Amino acid sequence: MAANRLMSCGIAAAFPSVLSSSKSKFATGVPLPCVNTSAARFTMSADWMPGQPRPPYLDGSAPGDFGFDPLRLGEVPENLERYKESELIHCRWAMLAVPGILIPEALGLGNWVKAQEWAAIPGGQATYLGQPVPWGNLPTILVIEFLAISFVEHQRSMEKDTERKKYPGGAFDPLGYSKDPKKFEEYKVKEVKNGRLALLAFVGICVQQSAYPGTGPLENLATHLADPWHNNIGNVIIPRSLLP
């Protein structure tokens, strides 16, 4: 009876040798109270901070869920699902934006700050990678962007399946990454991890540009590497009057 009790609590799975013999001293021991596994699941430590309790609504089932929600924004189930979707969309935009900022500057075609100066010039012509953009005047581009984004967002809002809203597949999966369910779950985690890194990178690029207006991230990096002891975050957060 005690052995069965232990088995039901999952102890035998962790210590199979304990119950492997009928002569085990636990065979006639006092039954142990079984732990409520569902409660333990929600009180386990969060992956992002050892010792920090995991919120009960973050059960680790979502891709990239490490129990991080210090502001408890996801307590309402409907809000949590919306936040998951919004995070994923913003991650994808950031993963497009960061290479779009770095690559032109690396090719010597100017930085992302100067790239938008044409919009402030009456009759200015948009260019990309040094080439004129068709219909590249500001009013036309705004109309095209408004219509395109409105159509895409309307189509996405019509989808009622929460998973298909985030991972539509089909034409959006030309390489067939979603065909293998096990691999697909792995790719979901990789996508959100890289997306979060891109979000942080974009915020860093914006902050750096605010500190040094008109400069790009690669220019900032080259300046720092040329003299790391003097060209660093201290130049921004420490008043120049206090510097030697």
Side-chain angles (χ1 to χ4, degrees), residues 57-73:
Y57 48 86
L58 297 180
D59 58 2
S61 61
D65 175 11
F66 300 103
F68 180 80
D69 187 16
L71 301 180
R72 306 190 73 82
L73 299 175

Side-chain angles (χ1 to χ4, degrees), residues 72-158:
R72 306 190 73 82
L73 299 175
E75 287 185 311
V76 180
E78 293 79 8
N79 291 348
L80 179 60
E81 187 57 42
R82 176 59 180 165
Y83 289 143
K84 291 178 183 178
E85 179 186 345
S86 297
E87 180 189 35
L88 193 58
I89 298 301
H90 282 81
C91 281
R92 290 167 179 168
W93 277 115
M95 286 189 286
L96 288 173
V98 172
I101 291 172
L102 297 177
I103 292 175
E105 186 176 356
L107 295 177
L109 299 173
N111 63 49
W112 71 293
V113 181
K114 296 178 180 178
Q116 55 190 318
E117 292 178 347
W118 67 269
I121 303 173
Q125 172 70 34
T127 62
Y128 190 74
L129 297 179
Q131 300 299 318
V133 177
W135 309 294
N137 59 78
L138 185 59
T140 304
I141 289 179
L142 290 177
V143 170
I144 293 174
E145 288 184 351
F146 176 80
L147 293 176
I149 297 299
S150 297
F151 173 77
V152 172
E153 287 299 309
H154 177 265
Q155 293 297 108
R156 192 162 62 88
S157 67
M158 296 298 290

Side-chain angles (χ1 to χ4, degrees), residues 194-208:
N194 284 279
R196 288 168 179 169
L197 183 61
L199 287 168
L200 288 174
F202 183 72
V203 171
I205 290 171
C206 292
V207 171
Q208 191 74 11

